[in-house]
Amino acid sequence: MPSRPADPIAEVRRLRRPRARRHWLTRSFRLQVMLLVGVLLAAMLLAQGAYLNHRKAEIIADQMGERALAVATSVAVIPELVAAFADQDPAATIQPIAERIRRQTGARYVVVGNTDGIRYSHPLPERLGLPMVGGDNDRALLHGESYVSEAVGSLGEAVRGKTPVVDAEGRIIGIVSVGFMLDRVALDVGRHTSLGWWLVAAMILLGFAGAYGLSRHLKRVILGLEPHEIARLATEKEAILQSIHEGILAVNREGAITLVNQQARRFLDLPSEREVLGNPIHEVVPNSRLLEVLERGEQQFDQQMWLGDHPVVVNRVPVMHGGEVEGAVATFRSRREIVDLSNALSAASRDVDMLRAQAHEFSNKLYTISGLLQLGRVADALSLIHQESERAQAQMSFLMGHVADPVISGTLLGKLTRARELGVRLEIDDQSSLSTPLTATGQEVLMTVIGNLLDNACHAALQERRDDGEGARVRLFFTDLGEQLLIEVEDNGSGVAAEHVEAIFTEGFSTKPGKHRGIGLALVARLCRAHGGAITLEESELGGACFTVVLDRSLCRPPLPSEP
């Protein structure tokens, strides 16, 4: 039973657990959102509630002061009270009037005094005839003003309404002070503002509940990931997209470019990503055919097309969400690289064929030796053995003595065997030498250069029909003496026509029949330019073409301290 594909989001959740411990507040995105929204809402409600309740308290306090002043003004104009100031004992008349009004209005006290501040009324009878306390009577007694004040009297701190008592001639003959105690005012304020604070508390609870619901919704929207995990995924995605060898181009449902990686910009010769994103695809890549994918929602695989001067193989797929096309993605890779890979596979196949032919050749020789031994021709068998051994030994001795790099020795030995199988006499100049081992890059470069040049030379030599009986010949010379590596390959073929000299190093150009040609020499030329060298063509002493390659000596490995 096939296993289910792994869920990448679930994998991220699994991998996030062993990460370094974070602070509890930064570990949960849901908690952060809930606290941020809840605390912000609570702060706003508390600030607004404090302001409104403060204003309400001020209004209630002002109303209590205005009430006290209204009561004082009403008392000051009572005729009986005004007339009592002329009596021998004003308190006898004024005290009952003031106490009755105090009980009716709910005031803490209603005090009436003369111009010297001597009390004619007071809630406590024993304080009658004593001076009024507070020191704020001058405005009423001297200037005739009616006002509200806060002061500490004999009964405590109170808000008081004060007004002068004026007789029929308009003279100030006394003062009325009506007071409400501030603790009573505070109690009234608290009773009137408590409901507001309860409403603020209820709104804060509702705000936190809403913040919790919002955080859960946002968490579902972002697939249960934390912000640092989303940031890591975005960074990893960008790094993968930019490092991938294939070009990637994505558009949204309107056909605007939403993604283009570095390889795609190189293929399309586009400016920076910032200048490309958001532009319509038909303006940037007119023949992309992504608009067809958006319209039809059909996938297109292994489509060949040209992007500028690059032949590419393109895959186009729609991006589906909820059964609708949300966009499209195109991936493309260079067809030349595919051809290079095909050539490499072909070369490997040829090497296998060469080994198979070599095995067949040695098998035939073994059968020949066996037949000679059965016929009793021991001397002839030994002669054949010595002849083959001497030839192989001579080749091995030369390569071991003149080529220090074992990889290049193996390459040359394989090419010698291949040339012999093809009927080409491959000669390695006796003055050739490679005295220094190569770096890994140097091995790869020299294998490619020597292999391609020898293959082309053998093919050119075999194509020439000869009547002189000389046969196909190829000569190889190489040396690392001096400041550069020098490789020279010549053949006795027909050479290169004059009209083809300029184009022979161009990729895709070839005089050979068949497809997928024109790669080898272009690859050699590209490697030469990449490694500080060059390749030249001239006429060979053997009558055909002579290719000379010069490479930088940096491809050679510097000697180890223990080496001479």
Side-chain angles (χ1 to χ4, degrees), residues 360-383:
H360 180 71
E361 177 189 2
F362 278 100
S363 176
N364 289 335
K365 291 179 179 179
L366 287 175
Y367 282 125
T368 301
I369 293 171
S370 175
L372 290 174
L373 292 176
Q374 292 180 22
L375 294 174
R377 307 288 293 272
V378 178
D380 293 336
L382 290 174
S383 176

Side-chain angles (χ1 to χ4, degrees), residues 454-525:
L454 289 179
D455 287 345
N456 287 343
C458 290
H459 183 273
L462 289 171
Q463 292 298 106
E464 180 68 13
R465 295 180 178 272
R466 298 187 171 277
D467 299 327
D468 53 9
E470 182 182 12
R473 290 181 59 196
V474 174
R475 182 184 298 164
L476 170 65
F477 172 77
F478 53 86
T479 181
D480 61 350
L481 299 178
E483 298 297 326
Q484 294 177 312
L485 295 176
L486 177 65
I487 302 170
E488 190 175 271
V489 177
E490 52 185 329
D491 59 70
N492 63 346
S494 58
V496 179
E499 63 271 17
H500 297 156
V501 172
E502 296 294 332
I504 197 166
F505 298 113
T506 303
E507 187 170 350
F509 176 83
S510 178
T511 58
K512 304 174 185 178
K515 299 181 179 179
H516 307 307
R517 298 291 186 178
I519 302 296
L521 289 177
L523 178 59
V524 171

Side-chain angles (χ1 to χ4, degrees), residues 373-402:
L373 292 176
Q374 292 180 22
L375 294 174
R377 307 288 293 272
V378 178
D380 293 336
L382 290 174
S383 176
L384 180 60
I385 292 172
H386 288 311
Q387 176 183 351
E388 187 64 26
S389 177
E390 287 175 359
R391 181 178 60 79
Q393 188 64 35
Q395 292 179 349
M396 292 294 297
S397 298
F398 178 83
L399 293 177
M400 292 180 63
H402 292 77

Side-chain angles (χ1 to χ4, degrees), residues 10 24 43 99 154 172 177 189 197 229 252 260 301 314 346 368 417 420 433 457 476 487 499 507 519:
W24 64 271
E99 283 300 297
S154 61
I172 298 175
S177 177
V189 169
W197 285 115
E229 294 168 344
N252 57 19
V260 54
F301 294 106
V314 184
S346 299
T368 301
T417 303
R420 188 167 63 252
S433 67
L476 170 65
I487 302 170
E499 63 271 17
E507 187 170 350
I519 302 296

Side-chain angles (χ1 to χ4, degrees), residues 435-454:
S435 59
T436 306
L438 303 174
T439 63
T441 302
Q443 292 173 347
E444 183 178 354
V445 171
L446 257 68
M447 281 193 299
T448 302
V449 170
I450 293 175
N452 279 286
L453 292 181
L454 289 179

